[in-house]
């Protein structure tokens, strides 16, 4: 888990179901969670190619209704249980207010930032202090009637007290992305799908919000160079 980058939870909840459109079956097993700056995460990934059709895959519609909503909350460091419970309650309330027609599936991951002494070098004291500092990550994934999954996430670091307002913020982000994405996906997921769109047997149309960065343009540029 690191700021401004997709986490393993994004890969499991958002990337995996969207890749199914392109004939990719992704299996992800999180063996140990890693946090910036120490790292130490370990993930096993298995990819299976399935057959796709040559028909048009059209995810460009302006409207789609929510079908399911999942959330994963991960924590690091010593956080009071009451703080974590308060965050989970705030997240459940925010999801219910934004998507009243859905029951949110919320999973709290156990602490997984500990590292085996045998496979890590001696860390500097500064890094040890960083590793011990608390952090909270939330990953949301909203699947719509088109079958596409829209994501939003937040990471709060270096705070002994969990700010429950991050739950409201990430849900509002998801709601805005869902409104703009329609039958498509969010812009941060779209840049991960471009190369699969190019390699798919048939044509693809994909709707996404206006990009918040240049990742999508970059992905399109290099995918065009690679595939002609």
């Amino acid at each position: 888990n690191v700021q401004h980058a997709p986490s393993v939870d994004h890969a499991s909840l958002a990337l995996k179901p969207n890749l199914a459109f392109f004939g990719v079956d992704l299996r992800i097993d999180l063996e140990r969670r890693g946090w910036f700056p120490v790292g130490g995460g370990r993930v096993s990934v298995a990819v299976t190619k399935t057959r796709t059709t040559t028909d048009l895959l059209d995810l460009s519609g302006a409207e789609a209704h929510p079908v399911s909503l999942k959330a994963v909350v991960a924590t690091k460091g010593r956080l009071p249980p009451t703080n974590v419970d308060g965050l989970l309650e705030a997240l459940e309330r925010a999801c219910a207010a934004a998507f009243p027609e859905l029951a949110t599936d919320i999973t709290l991951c156990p602490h997984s930032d500990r590292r085996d002494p045998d496979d890590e070098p001696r860390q500097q004291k500064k890094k040890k202090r960083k590793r011990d500092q608390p952090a909270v990550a939330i990953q949301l994934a909203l699947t719509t009637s088109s079958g596409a999954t829209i994501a939003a996430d937040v990471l709060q670091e270096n705070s002994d007290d969990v700010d429950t307002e991050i739950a409201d913020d990430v849900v509002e982000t998801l709601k805005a992305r869902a409104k703009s994405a329609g039958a498509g996906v969010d812009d941060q997921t779209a840049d991960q799908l471009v190369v699969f769109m190019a390699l798919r047997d048939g044509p693809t149309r994909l709707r996404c919000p206006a990009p918040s960065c240049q990742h999508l343009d970059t992905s399109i540029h290099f995918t065009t160079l690679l595939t002609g």
Side-chain angles (χ1 to χ4, degrees):
N1 290 76
V2 59
Q3 291 283 7
H4 312 301
S7 68
V8 65
D9 301 312
H10 178 275
S12 299
L13 296 185
L15 184 60
K16 173 182 168 67
N18 286 320
L19 286 183
F21 284 116
F22 307 99
V24 178
D25 181 16
L26 192 64
R27 191 185 72 203
I28 303 172
D29 295 317
L30 176 59
E31 300 177 16
R32 187 170 59 212
R33 187 177 296 274
W35 299 81
F36 178 84
V38 177
R42 182 180 294 167
V43 180
S44 297
V45 178
V47 180
T48 304
K49 177 73 167 66
T50 60
R51 185 178 297 277
T52 61
T53 68
T54 57
D55 297 335
L56 170 67
L57 173 59
D58 192 354
L59 299 174
S60 62
E63 295 184 2
H65 62 267
V67 172
S68 66
L69 177 58
K70 295 181 179 180
V72 170
V73 178
T75 67
K76 176 181 78 77
R78 296 181 179 179
L79 290 168
T82 53
N83 286 14
V84 178
D85 290 343
L87 176 64
L88 295 175
E89 293 172 1
L91 181 60
E92 187 172 8
R93 287 195 302 269
C95 289
F99 305 98
E101 68 276 30
L102 301 179
T104 308
D105 179 5
I106 302 177
T107 300
L108 175 63
C109 290
H111 288 239
S112 52
D113 61 318
R114 296 180 178 86
R115 306 177 68 184
D116 297 332
D118 293 339
D119 60 6
E120 72 170 343
R122 182 178 297 276
Q123 302 294 326
Q124 297 177 357
K125 291 183 179 181
K126 182 178 180 180
K127 287 190 175 182
K128 284 187 176 180
R129 289 197 299 270
K130 286 279 188 180
R131 184 177 61 186
D132 294 336
Q133 290 176 341
V136 175
I138 301 174
Q139 178 68 58
L140 299 179
L142 177 71
T143 301
T144 68
S145 53
S146 70
T149 299
I150 302 165
D153 66 275
V154 66
L155 173 62
Q156 177 182 299
E157 297 178 298
N158 306 332
S159 176
D160 293 328
D161 189 22
V162 178
D163 184 0
T164 57
E165 290 185 1
I166 65 173
D168 296 321
D169 294 342
V170 71
V171 172
E172 282 302 311
T173 298
L174 181 67
K175 185 176 180 180
R177 289 180 178 178
K179 182 178 180 180
S180 300
V185 300
D186 59 281
D187 61 303
Q188 295 180 350
T189 300
D191 63 65
Q192 297 177 305
L193 300 181
V194 170
V195 66
F196 298 97
M197 294 171 63
L199 296 176
R200 185 177 175 272
D201 296 335
T204 305
R205 292 176 184 165
L206 180 66
R207 181 185 181 93
C208 69
S212 56
C213 62
Q214 293 183 310
H215 291 174
L216 182 57
D217 289 337
T218 303
S219 182
I220 292 173
H221 172 74
F222 284 103
T223 299
T224 301
L225 292 179
L226 291 169
T227 64

